[in-house]
């Protein structure tokens, strides 16, 4: 049987059309494959950006927490110091009273304190008792005397009025105290006024 040329052409066209359909389908599948991968890329970029933002926000939050804790601790320390040293100016004023009381006690001649002189004796005893009481009150509130005779000179606790050579004493030690010093809770409130031994 001979095949007509017209049938051959029709068969070739059908074959070509089938191939074209397959090519179109494979192209559309490739395009579909490309599209999800670009979408995935966008999502990955977005995810990376969000993770970076989260990291920054977390760091800022941690820093803010640390700053708040530092402020709280500083405030607490300031409150505690205010409780301890809030009476500082009041104590300084009272020191002048204590100095006058001490001078008054020292100015009474010891030989005059006799039973024959009862007024002076009772006045002196009253001054001594008042001085003892004021020192007790000072101690109760953390205010302590500095009477550093024989101690090493310390510029944080003592103020040198003069330097003089003294026999039998080591240079740099305190030979004489002109005015008693005071410390409030370990902090020097008033340095002791002293004379310091120097090398001959």
């Amino acid at each position: 049987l001979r095949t007509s040329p017209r049938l051959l052409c029709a068969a070739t066209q059908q074959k070509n059309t089938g191939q074209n359909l397959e090519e179109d389908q494979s192209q559309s599948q490739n395009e579909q494959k490309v599209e999800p991968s670009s979408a995935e890329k966008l999502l990955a970029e977005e995810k990376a950006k969000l993770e970076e933002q989260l990291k920054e926000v977390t760091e800022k939050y941690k820093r803010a927490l640390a700053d708040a804790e530092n402020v709280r601790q500083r405030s607490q320390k300031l409150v505690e110091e205010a409780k301890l040293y809030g009476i500082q100016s009041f104590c300084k004023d009272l020191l002048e009273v204590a100095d006058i009381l001490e001078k008054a006690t020292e100015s009474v001649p010891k030989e005059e304190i006799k039973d024959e002189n009862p007024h002076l004796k009772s006045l002196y005893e009253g001054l001594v008792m008042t001085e003892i009481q004021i020192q007790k009150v000072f101690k109760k509130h953390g205010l302590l005397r500095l009477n550093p005779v024989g101690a090493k000179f310390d510029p944080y606790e003592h103020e040198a009025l003069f330097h003089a050579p003294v026999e039998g004493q080591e240079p740099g030690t305190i030979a004489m105290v002109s005015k008693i010093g005071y410390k409030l809770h370990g902090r020097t409130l008033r340095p002791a006024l002293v004379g310091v031994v120097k090398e001959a």
Side-chain angles (χ1 to χ4, degrees):
L1 285 168
R2 288 183 64 191
T3 313
S4 71
R6 194 177 285 173
L7 283 172
L8 278 172
C9 275
T12 308
Q13 275 181 343
Q14 281 178 351
K15 190 179 176 187
N16 286 343
T17 308
Q19 282 178 350
N20 287 344
L21 278 171
E22 282 175 16
E23 283 173 10
D24 288 345
Q25 283 175 352
S26 67
Q27 262 186 347
S28 67
Q29 282 175 355
N30 285 343
E31 283 172 8
Q32 283 174 355
K33 282 180 188 173
V34 169
E35 282 174 18
S37 69
S38 66
E40 283 173 15
K41 214 184 249 183
L42 284 171
L43 282 172
E45 285 174 11
E46 191 65 30
K47 181 186 171 193
K49 279 181 190 174
L50 288 171
E51 282 176 349
E52 190 63 35
Q53 283 178 355
L54 177 66
K55 193 177 176 184
E56 281 177 25
V57 169
T58 307
E59 284 298 314
K60 283 179 183 175
Y61 175 68
K62 284 180 182 174
R63 251 181 270 132
L65 276 181
D67 287 346
E69 181 60 21
N70 287 342
V71 168
R72 190 190 66 77
Q73 286 177 354
R74 241 180 277 126
S75 302
Q76 192 175 355
K77 190 179 177 186
L78 287 171
V79 167
E80 285 169 7
E81 282 186 356
K83 282 179 188 174
L84 281 177
Y85 303 110
I87 57 168
Q88 191 166 316
S89 60
F90 179 66
C91 288
K92 268 188 178 177
D93 292 340
L94 272 182
L95 294 184
E96 300 302 319
V97 176
D99 290 342
I100 292 165
L101 198 57
E102 191 177 350
K103 291 266 190 298
T105 311
E106 287 171 1
S107 68
V108 178
K110 299 290 182 278
E111 62 275 3
E112 294 292 321
I113 305 164
K114 297 175 185 172
D115 291 330
E116 296 88 51
N117 204 344
H119 297 296
L120 184 63
K121 187 179 179 186
S122 60
L123 179 66
Y124 176 77
E125 285 169 358
L127 284 172
V128 169
M129 284 168 64
T130 308
E131 197 178 353
I132 290 166
Q133 190 59 37
I134 204 167
Q135 289 303 325
K136 278 183 185 175
V137 171
F138 284 173
K139 195 171 184 180
K140 181 183 171 186
H141 292 282
L143 189 63
L144 300 174
R145 282 166 63 104
L146 289 175
N147 192 358
V149 176
K152 276 276 184 194
F153 177 77
D154 181 354
Y156 295 105
E157 294 184 359
H158 315 131
E159 190 178 320
L161 293 175
F162 61 89
H163 290 79
V166 179
E167 276 187 44
Q169 290 200 24
E170 193 182 328
T173 56
I174 294 163
M176 188 204 86
V177 176
S178 171
K179 197 173 191 179
I180 297 286
Y182 282 89
K183 270 181 151 185
L184 179 63
H185 296 291
R187 182 190 286 180
T188 303
L189 185 64
R190 183 180 81 185
L193 302 181
V194 297
V196 183
V197 179
K198 73 170 186 179
E199 288 184 27

